[in-house]
Amino acid sequence: MPEPLPNFSNSVKFKYVKLGYQYLVNNFLTFLIVPVMAALIIQVLKLGPEEILSIWNSLHFDVLQLLCSSFLIIFIATVYFMSKPRSIYLVDYSCYKAPVTCRVPFSTFMEHSRLILKDNPKSVEFQMRILERSGLGEETCLPPAIHYIPPTPNMETARNEAEVVIFSAIDDLMKRTGLKPKDIDILIVNCSLFSPTPSLSAMVVNKYKLRSNIKSYNLSGMGCSAGLISIDLARDLLQVWPNSCALVVSTEIITPNYYQGSERAMLLPNCLFRMGGAAILLSNKRKDRRRAKYRLMHVVRTHKGADDKAFRCVFQQEDPQGKVGINLSKDLMVIAGEALKSNITTIGPLVLPASEQLLFLFTLIGRKIFNPKWKAYIPDFKQAFEHFCIHAGGRAVIDELQKNLQLSAEHVEASRMTLHKFGNTSSSSLWYELSYIEAKGRMRKGDRIWQIAFGSGFKCNSAVWKCNRTIKTPTDGPWEDCIDRYPVFIPEIVKL
């Protein structure tokens, strides 16, 4: 009986074959230009001094031609630099850290649920099952008004929460950067579900006595991806207004949006959403280039709102008893997957190396021409980014993106640990994740970061940053007293 053939996949190191392919394709121009330049240099060296001098003398330069050529070169260079987009720098950012008095351990959360929903034990049991599988830890925080039995949400307590979260983050940012209120040219505040009058942005202007000519914006109703929408808006404004600073504040106010009914689809946000907020300072000033942490490379926004299912998958409504809450559809993960596909189709050509783009193209052509059943090639985004900040919307969101993008446990570590420590802080969660990476001392000059966020509507937004300098391990921030304990093991189910 003939000996069985060796397992090809084991005998050949495909990993090294792929690395060789990537190196060859990504450096194709270098491999092409270097031999040509070397051949030219060798030919010149073969010529004697007299031959080189005779070739030089044979060239006739006219003064008018020289002037015209110089003018053309200067004109082209001027047009190029004038039309080139301004570089946008992230000088620094700050994340709000709630006091320990706001912490909600599992036992406290479930005790409150049993007392509030004492007439509906099935809803209590449903919340317990969700909490067991949520990926949240024992140190997540809810605002003081939610700690009462029953909760006492009203306009005053909601404003109090907004003031504490937003002002604390801005104060810390000003302390870190030396920013003064008069230096702020653009102000953008995003909060999806709490939109009072005067607006939250007006509240900030009043608190810090900002200039009367400040360009202020207040974004609401745009879900957990609103933080990157704010970054995109700030980028566009900074392209128009030179030598300016933009302050971006991302938060979600929990107090007025804590659902007190018994509809299961509307109870889910109670189990996941927690207090949080972040303040970010952006600048297009050249003098900020040296001290800035990151440079903004790309922002890509995808909106699936034209589809009815996508539009209604995260929907604020009243239940049959007239109690307002957020209804999360069962189709949410499928819709999020479709939005992600559209987003990465756009962002892929901007960030992926040529080797990955060619593999994707060849696979696509093969499926169209030869066999539609060929497995679709998923580009290796690990070739384009060193760090991933996936919106900590829930365990299922992180699991799905890790699977679809073929990421390692380390790549999604920041997202999982942020969800465990702080819960779903909505649009600000991406900044807690970035802070985690910095606190671990992993951020190096030149590293590329991909922030991915999902939001109601339905939207999937991406931002790409490049580290401007090696970030020293911070001694403060939201992780200062616990980073040594992380990462922690998160079981599939935590028995309550």
Side-chain angles (χ1 to χ4, degrees):
M1 187 175 180
E3 293 184 6
L5 292 172
N7 189 327
F8 187 71
S9 61
N10 291 335
S11 60
V12 177
K13 302 293 184 182
F14 279 108
K15 174 183 175 182
Y16 299 108
V17 172
K18 188 173 181 180
L19 285 173
Y21 161 77
Q22 291 167 351
Y23 186 77
L24 177 64
V25 173
N26 296 338
N27 297 280
F28 178 74
L29 285 177
T30 303
F31 291 136
L32 184 65
I33 292 171
V34 168
V36 173
M37 293 298 295
L40 287 173
I41 292 170
I42 290 171
Q43 288 298 322
V44 170
L45 292 175
K46 286 181 179 180
L47 298 173
E50 294 180 357
E51 291 176 305
I52 295 173
L53 186 61
S54 64
I55 292 172
W56 177 260
N57 291 331
S58 67
L59 298 174
H60 299 286
F61 295 103
D62 184 78
V63 175
L64 182 62
Q65 289 179 342
L66 283 174
L67 288 173
C68 290
S69 300
S70 302
F71 175 78
L72 183 62
I73 292 170
I74 294 170
F75 176 76
I76 292 172
T78 303
V79 171
Y80 171 77
F81 285 109
M82 290 291 288
S83 60
K84 186 180 179 182
R86 291 188 177 92
S87 295
I88 309 300
Y89 299 102
L90 192 161
V91 179
D92 209 339
Y93 64 96
S94 175
C95 298
Y96 171 72
K97 185 178 180 182
V100 293
T101 53
C102 291
R103 286 183 180 174
V104 185
F106 293 154
S107 57
T108 302
F109 185 90
M110 291 313 304
E111 181 185 8
H112 282 220
S113 295
R114 291 187 185 98
L115 292 171
I116 295 168
L117 299 170
K118 57 185 176 182
D119 297 328
N120 201 322
K122 287 187 177 179
S123 294
V124 175
E125 184 182 348
F126 170 76
Q127 283 190 304
M128 185 172 70
R129 289 202 307 270
I130 293 298
L131 205 61
E132 286 176 337
R133 296 163 173 80
S134 65
L136 272 67
E138 297 275 7
E139 298 180 3
T140 61
C141 297
L142 285 172
I146 307 302
H147 287 253
Y148 289 91
I149 302 175
T152 58
N154 54 47
M155 182 60 75
E156 183 182 0
T157 54
R159 283 187 181 276
N160 289 340
E161 181 193 348
E163 290 174 358
V164 168
V165 173
I166 293 174
F167 296 163
S168 298
I170 294 176
D171 288 344
D172 185 54
L173 180 65
M174 287 182 167
K175 181 181 176 182
R176 285 167 175 256
T177 61
L179 179 70
K180 296 178 181 178
K182 65 181 179 64
D183 297 329
I184 301 172
D185 304 288
I186 299 165
L187 171 65
I188 302 172
V189 179
N190 70 265
C191 179
S192 187
L193 294 172
F194 181 55
S195 185
T197 300
S199 66
L200 296 177
S201 60
M203 183 182 77
V204 174
V205 172
N206 176 258
K207 165 69 175 179
Y208 295 97
K209 311 305 177 189
L210 302 183
R211 302 196 320 254
S212 60
N213 65 341
I214 189 166
K215 292 165 278 294
S216 66
Y217 301 85
N218 197 94
L219 306 183
S220 63
M222 306 195 80
C224 300
S225 66
L228 296 186
I229 295 173
S230 297
I231 294 296
D232 189 36
L233 175 59
R235 178 190 64 169
D236 291 344
L237 292 169
L238 288 170
Q239 291 298 333
V240 176
W241 300 95
N243 204 37
S244 299
C245 286
L247 174 62
V248 176
V249 180
S250 294
T251 187
E252 189 59 77
I253 304 306
I254 305 296
T255 297
N257 301 297
Y258 192 81
Y259 177 63
Q260 299 184 60
S262 57
E263 291 292 317
R264 295 188 184 184
M266 299 168 76
L267 282 169
L268 188 57
N270 288 2
C271 302
L272 299 175
F273 283 88
R274 297 293 186 265
M275 286 181 79
I280 305 99
L281 178 60
L282 301 177
S283 173
N284 60 12
K285 298 178 181 179
R286 289 186 178 180
K287 68 176 184 179
D288 288 328
R289 179 179 179 179
R290 288 184 176 274
R291 67 168 182 154
K293 285 186 172 182
Y294 305 97
R295 181 160 65 97
L296 182 60
M297 307 301 293
H298 307 286
V299 178
V300 174
R301 294 167 56 181
T302 303
H303 205 309
K304 308 295 284 187
D307 179 77
D308 291 341
K309 283 187 176 180
F311 175 72
R312 296 188 66 89
C313 71
V314 181
F315 205 78
Q316 187 176 26
Q317 64 184 48
E318 293 179 337
D319 67 8
Q321 287 73 43
K323 295 178 179 178
V324 179
I326 303 296
N327 190 315
L328 300 182
S329 167
K330 293 180 180 178
D331 300 324
L332 178 59
M333 292 311 302
V334 176
I335 292 165
E338 291 299 319
L340 176 65
K341 286 179 184 177
S342 299
N343 193 267
I344 64 176
T345 301
T346 306
I347 202 171
L350 299 175
V351 299
L352 287 170
S355 57
E356 289 300 309
Q357 295 194 46
L358 280 175
L359 284 174
F360 179 78
L361 178 63
F362 291 155
T363 307
L364 183 64
I365 293 172
R367 293 182 70 194
K368 293 288 185 181
I369 298 176
F370 301 108
N371 188 354
K373 294 183 179 179
W374 277 8
K375 185 178 179 182
Y377 179 73
I378 300 173
D380 186 4
F381 281 92
K382 298 186 291 294
Q383 298 293 324
F385 304 106
E386 284 74 33
H387 308 287
F388 296 80
C389 295
I390 299 167
H391 167 53
R395 188 176 207 151
V397 174
I398 301 170
D399 288 345
E400 194 68 20
L401 264 72
Q402 181 181 4
K403 177 184 175 183
N404 288 340
L405 298 177
Q406 299 177 350
L407 303 178
S408 67
E410 185 176 347
H411 287 127
V412 296
E413 182 183 310
S415 301
R416 291 196 189 281
M417 298 307 112
T418 296
L419 182 64
H420 181 271
K421 171 66 177 173
F422 298 102
N424 180 352
T425 59
S426 190
S427 57
S428 64
S429 67
L430 298 174
W431 304 105
Y432 288 90
E433 294 166 22
L434 191 60
S435 180
Y436 178 88
I437 297 169
E438 291 181 5
K440 281 294 182 182
R442 297 173 183 171
M443 195 64 72
R444 299 285 183 269
K445 183 178 180 179
D447 283 0
R448 297 154 297 177
I449 306 99
W450 186 13
Q451 292 180 321
I452 315 170
F454 300 92
S456 58
F458 187 85
K459 299 178 283 292
C460 175
N461 299 326
S462 293
V464 177
W465 303 88
K466 189 171 184 179
C467 187
N468 207 39
R469 55 182 171 84
T470 299
I471 308 296
K472 295 180 180 179
T473 304
T475 56
D476 55 0
W479 299 92
E480 62 177 320
D481 60 347
C482 62
I483 191 63
D484 294 335
R485 293 191 277 116
Y486 283 90
V488 297
F489 172 70
I490 305 174
E492 290 293 325
I493 300 176
V494 178
K495 283 296 180 183
L496 301 182

